[in-house]
Amino acid sequence: MTKYRLPTYLLLIVLSVLPLDRISAQEPICGFPYANRPVESVVHLSPLGKPTANTKNFYIREDLQAIKPAFESMTFERYDTSRSEVTFFIEQSELTRIGEVTIQNLLTKLKDRMFNSTPNGLYNPAQGFFRNEVELFGEPPDVDGNDSVYVLLLDIQDTYDPEAGGNYVAGYFDPLDQLDPDEDPDQASKNEADILYIDTDPGLSQDFEQTITTAAHELQHLLHFGADPSEDIWVNEGMSEVTAHLFGLQARSFSNFLSNPTRTLTHFDYEAEDVIADYAKVGLWTLYLYAQYGAGLLQQIVQTGGPGGQGVSGLDRAFSQAGNVFLTFDQVFTNWLIANVGHTYLPEGAPEYHYGEFNIPSVEPALTISQFPTIDRGSVIKNYAGSYVRLYDGMISDAVISPPLSNGEDPLLDMNAALLLSDGNEYDIVMKNNVSGTGPDFSKYTRYDNAWMILFNQQEPAETLSGNYTLSIFGSGGQVVETLDYSSGETVNTYLPLEGGTAATVFDLPNLNTQVLQAEVKLFNNKPVSFKLRESLGGVVLDSVRLGKPSQGWISWQPEPVGEGLTQLSLQVTSDSNGVAADSLIPEMNKSFYRQSGDNTEFSQLFVRYPTSRTVEANWKMRLQIAYPDTGSQIKDSYAWRHNPWIMSSEKHGNTISLILVFQDPGDVRVDVFNILGRHVKRIYDSPVTEPNRPFSVLWNGTNKYSKRVSSGMYLFRVQKGMQQEVRKLTIIW
């Protein structure tokens, strides 16, 4: 066996489970959580005993997180050898605990998807994912020379607590299994075999479908390792993420990334709480490559190894050798950023900005600008990442952008801007490279239906760089754009099955001339759903749509324009086999309802019963983005509102809250702060405004009228100008 240096990481797929009595949240967090840590000499416990005819001993990691791995010998039953390509083993104690029937059911479904067909997939559905992946990514390494991959079903030793719920490792591939123990006695696991590890506790009890997805995910890691053991993590993980989407398996929602898309494509932050967004990010990137250039490009990327064959340089090499790309990595990256908006807002005549047959959630802008002029000093850009700005209504004349500073010193010199304008039939894309004190030219665009600006940077330093840029948009007119959302905003959800019933949320409209820009719902899976927008809970249907295969997670829908004079709207979702996320709120905030199967039943308020038999009122994860005419005063979508809660005295937020105000005409302006009980805390501004359409800041240092520091909690900011007023909420944490 040829000796080579192995990357020192495990390839894991981790799932999260909530201990609820209905559908629980199961968000896969796949990847390499302990990448590139140096592996010290391994420890082997319990010498191998002599196996019987139907058993085999394997060395299994005692602790997946340990920098110094310890392997313990465990006995497995050789359970299924019906396929020469794969041999299935199960831990002896787990076979006794689970039973023959459950294991047979799992293996029947797993083998059917592995070897017979992937009926819901787009890539050769008449073939199982094992052969599909081998065609795409290459043959297994076969370090033991037996032409078989071992699939081990076992209780993976992780930190999962069945009482508290939380994360568990659903499967992994271990590169140390690829080493020859005679040549690398201090590194090898002593298995020297092609092995996939699949969890049985709680893995099998959670979801057979997720177990199948895990097997496909980890198989890609094994095959990719055989072709290029030094591949960059973000490229490798992207290939594993895309397998579920190509083969019609239970896939992660891309909304985990598109709801906050300002993440560096070429970097993973394994310590971040929202690391799941990184995996959605690279999965979406890889799916775009497949949709644009086909399976041949993915195969070329995996097979492009050797020095300089990894990461950005490896992709550049693969693009040049593929024969159908004709673009550099930077050019494809730019097209991908545009496609994340274009698949929703650009017509089909722009195929390079679409995802083909795949249904992708809409991107959420970092900033929506709907009154002009405006100045934003709080937005962030990172290297090899995009910041999305939506421009709505108004007459725009010019834009000025000052590039951010990385690490507070050096500017991100390669900052670029792309302006997208579309009326649904025709479109324009205006590019401005190396922005420095200027922006794309708006002069010939006086009106538009959809306008987006994407600011992005193409630098590949050793570390991730980021900084705040200043964006000034000049013009006149505009609308108030806001999001109506009665859910708590927490990331932990309870997914409730609809079972033929209807989930409904009633939204109170702030203006009689309100228009709906976008409706959003957080779904449990990709099973069919029907949407309706009604005038009220049981009122006239204004628009409806049925989605045959929506994305899991947040999904958006653009209904037809509604009429004037409405005070309420009800968004309703019906499905036989899907579920909607919900979370608990105080009773007086409840706006959510449920109706059982059949149009003749009545709606009732939504309740969730937890295992403790405690019943709490809850709200669906639904929201409406709306627009209505500007009344002459508006609190801008400034830095404070986009960082709610505001952590006072922190390095990120600082100890002063700045509200950006703008008024279209002169007048006396007052700004007051109230606590959540409605008691007046302090007047922070009381002065006439003499310069219309000029943004200015109102500052508050978190003290009351007696100059004492207020306590942590929610506060209300009321802006008054004449008879007009607006109120915003902000939570402050010391």
Side-chain angles (χ1 to χ4, degrees), residues 439-653:
D441 182 12
F442 279 90
S443 60
K444 66 177 181 177
Y445 305 106
T446 57
R447 300 296 300 177
Y448 47 82
D449 291 329
N450 291 296
W452 288 74
M453 184 182 294
I454 308 172
L455 304 176
F456 58 99
N457 179 268
Q458 293 170 313
Q459 290 183 186
E460 183 59 21
E463 71 281 353
T464 300
L465 300 179
S466 65
N468 292 78
Y469 62 85
T470 298
L471 170 64
S472 302
I473 303 289
F474 299 96
S476 61
Q479 299 243 341
V480 177
V481 174
E482 63 177 281
T483 298
L484 303 180
D485 184 0
Y486 299 130
S487 62
S488 67
E490 297 176 355
T491 57
V492 177
N493 312 302
T494 302
Y495 286 88
L496 303 180
L498 297 180
E499 299 174 344
T502 300
T505 297
V506 177
F507 296 93
D508 294 325
L509 303 182
N511 189 285
L512 294 177
N513 296 313
T514 298
Q515 289 297 316
V516 178
L517 303 181
Q518 189 165 274
E520 296 178 294
V521 178
K522 193 167 189 180
L523 300 176
F524 176 64
N525 58 36
N526 60 0
K527 303 301 182 181
V529 294
S530 296
F531 290 89
K532 288 183 180 179
L533 189 66
R534 293 181 180 267
E535 288 187 350
S536 59
L537 191 60
V540 175
V541 176
L542 301 172
D543 196 11
S544 63
V545 68
R546 176 177 168 80
L547 301 180
K549 193 176 182 180
S551 298
Q552 180 190 23
W554 283 106
I555 184 167
S556 59
W557 169 47
Q558 291 181 284
E560 293 294 322
V562 300
E564 298 180 357
L566 298 178
T567 60
Q568 284 187 336
L569 287 173
S570 177
L571 178 60
Q572 302 182 3
V573 185
T574 305
S575 178
D576 291 330
S577 52
N578 211 323
V580 177
D583 57 26
S584 59
L585 289 175
I586 57 177
E588 53 265 34
M589 294 286 289
N590 191 286
K591 296 286 188 179
S592 295
F593 301 85
Y594 177 76
R595 182 174 64 188
Q596 295 180 353
S597 179
D599 291 336
N600 296 326
T601 58
E602 296 293 329
F603 278 103
S604 59
Q605 280 194 320
L606 174 63
F607 290 86
V608 180
R609 182 175 294 279
Y610 285 81
T612 58
S613 298
R614 179 174 60 94
T615 300
V616 297
E617 201 162 359
N619 275 340
W620 297 116
K621 289 275 193 177
M622 296 185 186
R623 55 198 184 202
L624 290 182
Q625 187 181 55
I626 61 171
Y628 52 90
D630 191 359
T631 59
S633 66
Q634 172 70 13
I635 302 178
K636 304 301 293 181
D637 187 13
S638 61
Y639 187 70
W641 307 120
R642 288 184 288 105
H643 294 76
N644 191 359
W646 185 276
I647 304 175
M648 298 290 283
S649 302
S650 67
E651 181 179 350
K652 178 179 180 181
H653 294 162

Side-chain angles (χ1 to χ4, degrees), residues 216-233:
H217 183 104
E218 300 305 331
L219 176 61
Q220 191 285 144
H221 284 318
L222 171 66
L223 303 181
H224 205 139
F225 183 89
D228 185 3
S230 300
E231 182 62 272
D232 276 15
I233 295 167

Side-chain angles (χ1 to χ4, degrees), residues 56-209:
K56 184 175 176 63
N57 290 335
F58 292 95
Y59 275 103
I60 308 300
R61 288 188 184 236
E62 282 197 321
D63 181 0
L64 293 176
Q65 301 181 14
I67 295 177
K68 185 173 183 177
F71 289 89
E72 180 182 9
S73 176
M74 295 177 60
T75 303
F76 286 76
E77 293 280 348
R78 185 181 282 103
Y79 196 80
D80 191 307
T81 59
S82 60
R83 303 289 307 199
S84 60
E85 308 98 318
V86 175
T87 303
F88 295 92
F89 293 84
I90 183 169
E91 183 184 347
Q92 281 187 331
S93 59
E94 285 297 277
L95 178 59
T96 301
R97 182 184 68 85
I98 297 171
E100 296 277 349
V101 174
T102 301
I103 294 300
Q104 285 287 3
N105 288 340
L106 168 66
L107 289 182
T108 298
K109 296 180 70 172
L110 179 57
K111 288 193 298 180
D112 181 61
R113 299 289 185 88
M114 289 187 80
F115 305 113
N116 298 334
S117 66
T118 49
N120 297 319
L122 293 178
Y123 180 89
N124 197 353
Q127 190 167 252
F129 72 74
F130 185 92
R131 183 47 51 188
N132 279 341
E133 290 196 39
V134 169
E135 288 180 1
L136 272 173
F137 308 122
E139 296 285 341
D142 196 25
V143 294
D144 52 2
N146 67 358
D147 294 324
S148 184
V149 173
Y150 292 158
V151 176
L152 272 55
L153 304 174
L154 74 161
D155 179 10
I156 295 175
Q157 297 305 298
D158 49 29
T159 59
Y160 176 70
D161 182 350
E163 296 296 327
N167 294 336
Y168 71 95
V169 177
Y172 67 94
F173 156 72
D174 192 343
L176 298 189
D177 290 334
Q178 297 288 304
L179 291 177
D180 184 340
D182 294 330
E183 296 188 14
D184 287 280
D186 294 331
Q187 295 284 300
S189 68
K190 290 192 176 181
N191 289 325
E192 193 180 7
D194 304 320
I195 301 176
L196 308 180
Y197 299 84
I198 306 297
D199 185 61
T200 55
D201 186 15
L204 296 189
S205 63
Q206 293 301 316
D207 194 341
F208 274 6
E209 293 297 323

